[in-house]
Amino acid sequence: MNEIIKTENLVFQYEGENNSDIMVLNGINIHIKKGEFVAVLGHNGSGKSTLAKHFNAILLPTKGNVCVDGINTRHEEKLFDIRQKVGMVFQNPDNQIVATIVEEDVAFGPENLGVEPSEIRKRVDEALESVDMYEYRRHAPHQLSGGQKQRVAIAGVVAMRPDCIVLDEPTAMLDPRGRKEVLKTIKELNDTYGTTVVLITHYMDEAVNADRVIVIDSGDILLDGTPKDVFCQVKVLKDAGLDVPQVTELAYELRKCGLNINVDVLTEDECVEELTKLLEE
Amino acid sequence: MLKDITIGQYFPGESFVHKLDPRMKIVLTIAYVVMLFLTNNVYGFIISVGFLVLSYSISRISFKMILKSLKPIVPIILFTAILNLFFVNGDPLFKWWVISISAQGVKLAVFMSLRVIFLIAGTSLLTYTTSPIELTDGIELLLSPLKKVKFPVHELAMMMTIALRFIPTLIEETDKIMSAQKARGADLESGGIVQRAKALIPILIPLFISAFRRAEELALAMECRCYHGDEGRTRMKQLQYSWRDAFSFILISVLIITVILINMFIKTGSF
Ligand SMILES: Nc1ncnc2c1ncn2[C@@H]1O[C@H](COP(=O)(O)OP(=O)(O)OP(=O)(O)O)[C@@H](O)[C@H]1O
Ligand SMILES: [Mg+2]
């Protein structure tokens, strides 16, 4: 079993006013393998957060099933196992830090799981080191920058030793520097510790580094594949109200003008390479 | 402007007093208060004051801090003094119309005021030398026997922690909202009391809305980290009593017994 999250025909609807149900997710099938780095894209209100909340049983499907490491999220007695396996980080770092001291906050998750005190100490130190916040362990949260706070929040999840971390727009409230710090941390967790990462984001350039990109549009999966496969579908993405990385857009426009250039460029380096190739011809 | 408010006024340090177990410090503070109220004699009083001075010196907290902690309760001290001054019966020293002041009244007024002053000075030392988290942990553990009678000790401690955590955040937010409203032309500084209170409404309403939103998100985040109350929960920091705690406990016990003996056997200098 190397699938950490599996959804089968996941349908979810909110009960709206006067008994009309609002469909948010209409039959989603996603299989996420252990160790994968998946980016989820979609415009506002497309259902990304709702989908994410199904991954650790905050929400239960109206129809269909969600399985976490083989456990159906409908099994109520397995709730804490599921939430230990799939950790979640939210947008606003201020509203997810519970304790008044950084290390106390990181200890919060393992404490809830009933881990032995000496083992908690070990995990807290390791988690803080893995997000590069060890020297701030005795600080109060309000003395930290946004990016640092968000890394503490990530450490709080890491200390629970999850198999998978779901991050719901973790960089939306940060400045460019904070964004970079957080992204680097996430990438490192994925590379070094093999933690599965599901990154929900609005920023296309954050999705470029993922192994796989899933695009959600009004509760359906629009595209699912490697960043290259997904971003070269410039027209489909634009119709769904999404941007593509700047360099991809440049290549796309050049091709539309009749130049013979590959559209599947994602980074500046690749773009430069393609352009020099074009000029040499 | 609002950022200057500090809660708890904790001064970190490495002294004997700082290193005491917070549970013991709370017990010692209570014992000290009891001692102050048992004392009805100058000698007993000197013992209590001696203990206070000793504690302040060891913890290296400046005596000026006592004055600072007394500022907000000056009205209470005055009230206590005046009440004792005018309403204690005895041989009148001074009489005018219905007002009479007796020697006993003066004595008691001085004594009661001093009692309140030393009470505040002593309890302040607890917050000066104990961080808010230690204090919360100490209270939770000391009250834990009450769990047997279904008193929500853990929930109370969790509420205190969260309140302490969010006070700086909410203060910052209040500052922001105030600036935002001022930028829209709100006048917060002039006018009478009623007008100023009215001017607070456009600050309080956004603050409350945001606090509720934060609470909702925090609850979700806590749930995601498997929070389910006290049941099966462990703690990273384990509090442990040391020789310091034993020593302090013996010291305060000896002092209290001495004060009681003085009350019983020495009749000179009593109030
Ligand atoms: N509590 C709720 N009650 C009713 N409808 C809701 C509720 N929460 C979300 N919705 C609806 O569900 C839809 C999807 O919301 P969701 O939060 O999943 O979107 P999102 O893709 O995360 O958007 P964003 O990018 O803004 O975070 C939206 O149309 C929203 O109006
Ligand atoms: Mg969302």
Side-chain angles (χ1 to χ4, degrees):
Chain A
M1 168 119 45
N2 56 0
E3 263 167 9
I4 180 73
I5 293 169
K6 188 170 76 179
T7 72
E8 295 167 341
N9 268 321
L10 165 56
V11 172
F12 184 79
Q13 50 198 34
Y14 275 113
E15 256 174 62
E17 285 152 37
N18 45 28
N19 284 339
S20 63
D21 289 334
I22 308 165
M23 280 287 247
V24 183
L25 303 173
N26 349 303
I28 287 199
N29 287 295
I30 294 181
H31 295 228
I32 295 174
K33 288 205 234 25
K34 278 190 181 151
E36 248 184 330
F37 187 148
V38 182
V40 179
L41 297 173
H43 62 79
N44 284 3
S46 55
K48 304 181 298 287
S49 301
T50 311
L51 177 65
K53 282 179 187 156
H54 281 86
F55 292 166
N56 67 348
I58 296 287
L59 293 175
L60 292 179
T62 312
K63 276 191 218 120
N65 287 306
V66 178
C67 290
V68 171
D69 207 14
I71 308 166
N72 194 315
T73 53
R74 293 182 197 275
H75 278 293
E76 220 171 289
E77 66 280 14
K78 294 275 187 179
L79 187 67
F80 297 126
D81 288 336
I82 292 169
R83 294 201 177 145
Q84 183 268 319
K85 282 177 199 290
V86 179
M88 193 122 156
V89 176
F90 297 92
Q91 191 179 80
N92 190 337
D94 260 329
N95 298 352
Q96 40 188 329
I97 296 180
V98 187
T100 44
I101 296 283
V102 166
E103 60 176 10
E104 295 272 334
D105 185 73
V106 177
F108 183 74
E111 283 177 343
N112 290 333
L113 294 172
V115 177
E116 286 296 311
S118 57
E119 169 73 11
I120 300 181
R121 182 78 256 174
K122 212 176 97 204
R123 286 192 188 190
V124 167
D125 291 346
E126 278 174 17
L128 281 171
E129 261 157 24
S130 72
V131 300
D132 204 11
M133 284 296 288
Y134 185 69
E135 60 265 51
Y136 293 94
R137 65 191 180 283
R138 309 217 118 264
H139 283 233
H142 64 95
Q143 297 170 320
L144 304 177
S145 74
Q148 290 174 328
K149 274 187 253 189
Q150 197 60 291
R151 272 145 69 203
V152 170
I154 294 174
V157 172
V158 169
M160 293 171 75
R161 300 264 161 96
D163 298 321
C164 175
I165 301 184
V166 180
L167 304 105
D168 192 351
E169 302 190 32
T171 59
M173 303 189 69
L174 307 181
D175 56 7
R177 198 168 132 212
R179 266 182 68 194
K180 234 186 227 157
E181 287 169 13
V182 169
L183 283 176
K184 188 169 149 262
T185 308
I186 298 171
K187 188 85 186 114
E188 260 170 28
L189 285 177
N190 181 249
D191 287 343
T192 347
Y193 302 92
T195 313
T196 315
V197 171
V198 178
L199 175 66
I200 296 171
T201 179
H202 262 126
Y203 297 104
M204 300 304 135
D205 46 333
E206 289 180 4
V208 168
N209 289 320
D211 299 328
R212 179 174 162 200
V213 176
I214 297 173
V215 181
I216 307 268
D217 185 37
S218 11
D220 288 307
I221 295 184
L222 188 66
L223 295 167
D224 181 352
T226 62
K228 274 201 163 65
D229 292 344
V230 168
F231 287 123
C232 67
Q233 315 246 18
V234 181
K235 189 161 177 343
V236 182
L237 286 172
K238 293 222 154 189
D239 288 346
L242 286 169
D243 278 331
V244 292
Q246 260 180 352
V247 285
T248 317
E249 176 145 27
L250 176 66
Y252 175 74
E253 292 294 333
L254 287 173
R255 196 179 175 89
K256 259 205 326 205
C257 298
L259 290 172
N260 182 22
I261 184 171
N262 271 334
V263 192
D264 61 350
V265 290
L266 296 180
T267 61
E268 282 170 26
D269 290 343
E270 283 174 351
C271 185
V272 171
E273 207 174 292
E274 284 294 323
L275 286 174
T276 38
K277 227 194 280 170
L278 195 67
L279 290 172
E280 275 163 8
E281 270 170 22
Chain B
M1 155 192 114
L2 281 170
K3 275 197 188 132
D4 305 331
I5 301 172
T6 49
I7 281 282
Q9 307 167 299
Y10 168 57
F11 298 99
E14 291 287 312
S15 73
F16 182 94
V17 179
H18 283 89
K19 282 182 183 156
L20 283 174
D21 188 293
R23 289 170 292 180
M24 184 50 75
K25 266 192 269 191
I26 296 169
V27 170
L28 288 175
T29 311
I30 295 170
Y32 168 78
V33 171
V34 169
M35 183 160 78
L36 265 183
F37 277 91
L38 283 176
T39 305
N40 58 11
N41 184 298
V42 173
Y43 305 109
F45 214 67
I46 290 172
I47 291 179
S48 313
V49 175
F51 180 72
L52 182 75
V53 172
L54 182 76
S55 311
Y56 264 85
S57 328
I58 292 178
S59 58
R60 298 178 183 279
I61 300 286
S62 145
F63 286 97
K64 277 187 215 140
M65 292 311 302
I66 301 185
L67 293 181
K68 210 176 147 197
S69 61
L70 287 178
K71 234 191 239 163
I73 57 140
V74 168
I76 297 177
I77 298 173
L78 285 179
F79 182 71
T80 323
I82 291 170
L83 218 61
N84 279 295
L85 206 57
F86 294 118
F87 294 101
V88 172
N89 296 319
D91 332 315
L93 280 179
F94 171 87
K95 212 168 156 93
W96 176 75
W97 194 36
V98 291
I99 298 169
S100 78
I101 294 177
S102 65
Q104 283 94 331
V106 174
K107 239 186 195 174
L108 261 179
V110 172
F111 178 63
M112 289 306 281
S113 314
L114 284 177
R115 209 180 233 174
V116 176
I117 289 172
F118 291 124
L119 174 80
I120 299 300
T123 44
S124 305
L125 188 62
L126 177 67
T127 54
Y128 290 155
T129 60
T130 320
S131 73
I133 323 168
E134 281 183 307
L135 213 52
T136 324
D137 279 356
I139 293 171
E140 179 172 1
L141 285 166
L142 277 178
L143 293 183
S144 59
L146 289 181
K147 278 178 198 161
K148 291 220 176 71
V149 290
K150 298 253 155 63
F151 187 77
V153 177
H154 168 75
E155 286 74 7
L156 221 63
M158 186 52 83
M159 275 162 60
M160 275 169 68
T161 309
I162 292 174
L164 285 169
R165 154 73 186 84
F166 277 92
I167 284 168
T169 312
L170 291 179
I171 287 176
E172 207 173 293
E173 185 143 31
T174 314
D175 258 349
K176 261 190 221 157
I177 296 172
M178 273 165 109
S179 313
Q181 299 291 28
K182 274 186 203 157
R184 288 176 176 78
D187 180 8
L188 305 175
E189 259 114 41
S190 61
I193 285 186
V194 178
Q195 223 169 347
R196 278 204 208 184
K198 268 189 189 157
L200 278 182
I201 294 174
I203 290 168
L204 288 181
I205 289 177
L207 190 66
F208 267 86
I209 292 173
S210 134
F212 280 117
R213 206 194 51 235
R214 281 180 195 282
E216 208 174 320
E217 280 183 30
L218 183 72
L220 186 63
M222 285 170 76
E223 241 181 279
C224 285
R225 288 162 78 183
C226 297
Y227 181 68
H228 50 114
D230 197 16
E231 207 190 310
R233 189 173 148 82
T234 49
R235 299 303 307 267
M236 175 172 74
K237 289 240 170 77
Q238 300 287 312
L239 293 179
Q240 222 152 27
Y241 290 119
S242 71
W243 61 270
R244 293 187 192 86
D245 304 296
F247 175 80
S248 325
F249 187 71
I250 294 170
L251 178 69
I252 196 94
S253 313
V254 170
L255 292 183
I256 288 184
I257 292 170
T258 317
V259 165
I260 293 173
L261 291 178
I262 290 174
N263 281 350
M264 279 160 60
F265 297 111
I266 300 182
K267 293 296 171 205
T268 53
S270 67
F271 293 99

